[in-house]
Structures are given as structure tokens and as C-alpha cells.
């Protein structure tokens, strides 16, 4: 039962006034970067059953009560949310007509923002090379791996893939900023 005796229409009026106050606070208040980050996190994960543990850390329902969170705690929560929600989606898997193309690219944009290209290991591994045609492998063998034509022309694709992967050459044919364009 409600603590305040008010009609449902009155509840809506109160909610509208509180929304206006929220907007004024965001524009005119002394809001810190940490408060903005936490607010964006709540907007992103609020109501998600899978993210209830993170919401409990913010709201204090984990036993700590609502309290001021230190910057490092906010950053840890933000990282956890990003790890759960941010993913790079292959263009071939972007099949929903109900999803805006920008929604599919969120992982790429976040990767660009945080400089994730510096943490990409070489794509010159068997699990990637097995998806390339023999012609593509022959081209890479010469241009990227520096293997002369005569050394590879008679090799079967599987043997060539194993040889190329064993050399552990740093090969990155795409980046977070160009992933969609490179593969579309």
C-alpha cells in the first residue's frame, strides 16, 4: 500500500515533475563525471535480470546501502557492464531488419574508443586462416608472410595454412574502426 494517498493521475503528475527536476539537475546541477557514468550504466542495465548484481552494487541492495562509490568502483562496474554488453558482430550475422545498423556497430565503436586495436593479437592463426581460399592464402603468403611463390605454389591449402600459422607473423587485415567496411 502506498504511503501517500493520491490518485493514479496524481502519481503521473508527480512523476512528470520529478522528470523535469531530473533534467534540470543534469543541465544545471553540479553533476560529476562519476555520477554521469553511473547514471548511464543504470540507464543501460536497469531492469535487466542478468545485471541485477551490478545494479545492487549501485543501489546498495547488496547490503552496503546506497552510498557514494569511489571512482575505481564506478570504473569496475562500467568495465563489467561493457564486458557483458559490448560485442563485435560479424556483418554476416546482422540479419534483423528490426535492428539499426548502428546498434550492430556498438562493439566496434567502443573498441575504437578504448584503443582495443592495440590488444588484438595476430589474425594469422589456423582458426582464421582456415576460412580463406587457397588463392587468398597464396596472395598472403607472398605479400604478408614473405614466402616466395615457388615455395608455396605446390602446397595444398591445409599445409600452407599450417606453415603460415607456425611462423606467427603479425597480420591484422582489419581494425575496430574499419571492420564493417572491410567485411561488407
Amino acid at each position: 500500500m502506498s504511503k501517500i494517498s493520491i490518485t493514479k493521475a496524481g502519481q503521473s503528475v508527480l512523476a512528470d515533475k520529478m522528470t523535469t527536476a531530473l533534467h534540470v539537475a543534469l543541465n544545471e546541477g553540479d553533476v560529476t563525471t562519476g555520477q554521469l557514468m553511473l547514471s548511464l550504466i543504470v540507464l543501460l542495465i536497469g531492469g535487466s535480470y542478468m545485471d541485477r548484481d551490478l545494479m545492487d552494487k549501485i543501489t546498495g541492495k547488496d547490503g552496503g546501502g546506497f552510498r557514494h562509490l569511489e571512482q575505481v568502483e564506478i570504473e569496475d562496474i562500467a568495465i563489467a557492464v561493457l564486458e557483458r554488453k559490448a560485442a563485435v558482430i560479424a556483418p554476416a550475422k546482422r540479419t534483423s531488419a528490426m535492428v539499426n545498423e548502428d546498434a550492430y556497430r556498438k562493439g566496434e565503436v567502443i573498441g575504437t574508443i578504448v584503443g582495443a586495436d592495440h590488444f588484438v593479437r595476430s589474425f594469422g592463426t589456423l582458426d582464421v586462416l582456415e576460412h580463406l581460399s587457397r588463392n587468398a592464402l597464396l596472395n598472403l603468403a607472398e605479400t604478408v608472410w614473405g614466402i616466395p611463390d615457388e615455395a608455396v605454389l605446390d602446397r595444398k591449402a591445409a599445409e600452407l595454412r599450417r606453415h603460415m600459422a607456425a611462423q606467427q607473423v603479425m597480420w591484422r587485415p582489419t581494425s575496430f574502426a574499419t571492420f564493417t567496411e572491410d567485411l561488407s
Side-chain angles (χ1 to χ4, degrees):
M1 182 161 202
S2 175
K3 293 180 186 178
I4 302 171
S5 181
I6 191 167
T7 64
K8 289 181 182 178
Q11 291 176 8
S12 293
V13 171
L14 290 177
D16 290 344
K17 289 186 174 295
M18 292 178 77
T19 299
T20 299
L22 169 62
H23 295 172
V24 171
L26 289 169
N27 286 288
E28 298 175 17
D30 189 21
V31 182
T32 67
T33 302
Q35 290 169 320
L36 288 173
M37 189 182 302
L38 272 178
S39 298
L40 286 170
I41 291 169
V42 168
L43 189 63
L44 178 65
I45 67 171
S48 168
Y49 180 77
M50 299 299 291
D51 300 314
R52 191 176 57 205
D53 60 322
L54 298 176
M55 277 296 294
D56 288 350
K57 287 181 182 180
I58 294 169
T59 62
K61 288 184 180 176
D62 64 350
F66 198 84
R67 61 184 176 82
H68 171 77
L69 295 172
E70 296 298 323
Q71 186 69 27
V72 70
E73 294 172 299
I74 296 169
E75 290 169 0
D76 288 345
I77 292 170
I79 288 168
V81 169
L82 289 166
E83 286 177 336
R84 291 179 188 185
K85 305 286 184 188
V88 177
I89 310 296
K93 291 191 173 193
R94 300 173 188 186
T95 57
S96 176
M98 302 295 290
V99 177
N100 181 311
E101 180 63 25
D102 288 338
Y104 283 122
R105 296 189 69 186
K106 289 189 282 188
E108 296 166 51
V109 172
I110 292 167
T112 301
I113 290 169
V114 301
D117 280 322
H118 297 293
F119 298 91
V120 173
R121 293 185 174 89
S122 176
F123 290 122
T125 55
L126 278 176
D127 61 331
V128 174
L129 295 174
E130 73 183 10
H131 296 284
L132 299 178
S133 68
R134 186 169 187 281
N135 284 340
L137 289 170
L138 290 172
N139 183 37
L140 285 173
E142 187 174 350
T143 60
V144 176
W145 271 259
I147 303 171
D149 270 345
E150 61 274 0
V152 297
L153 285 176
D154 59 343
R155 291 184 183 205
K156 293 183 179 179
E159 181 186 342
L160 185 55
R161 286 183 184 101
R162 283 192 300 274
H163 179 74
M164 292 167 78
Q167 289 186 343
Q168 299 181 348
V169 172
M170 179 56 78
W171 175 57
R172 290 190 224 162
T174 189
S175 71
F176 281 89
T178 63
F179 183 75
T180 297
E181 291 79 14
D182 291 340
L183 300 180
S184 295

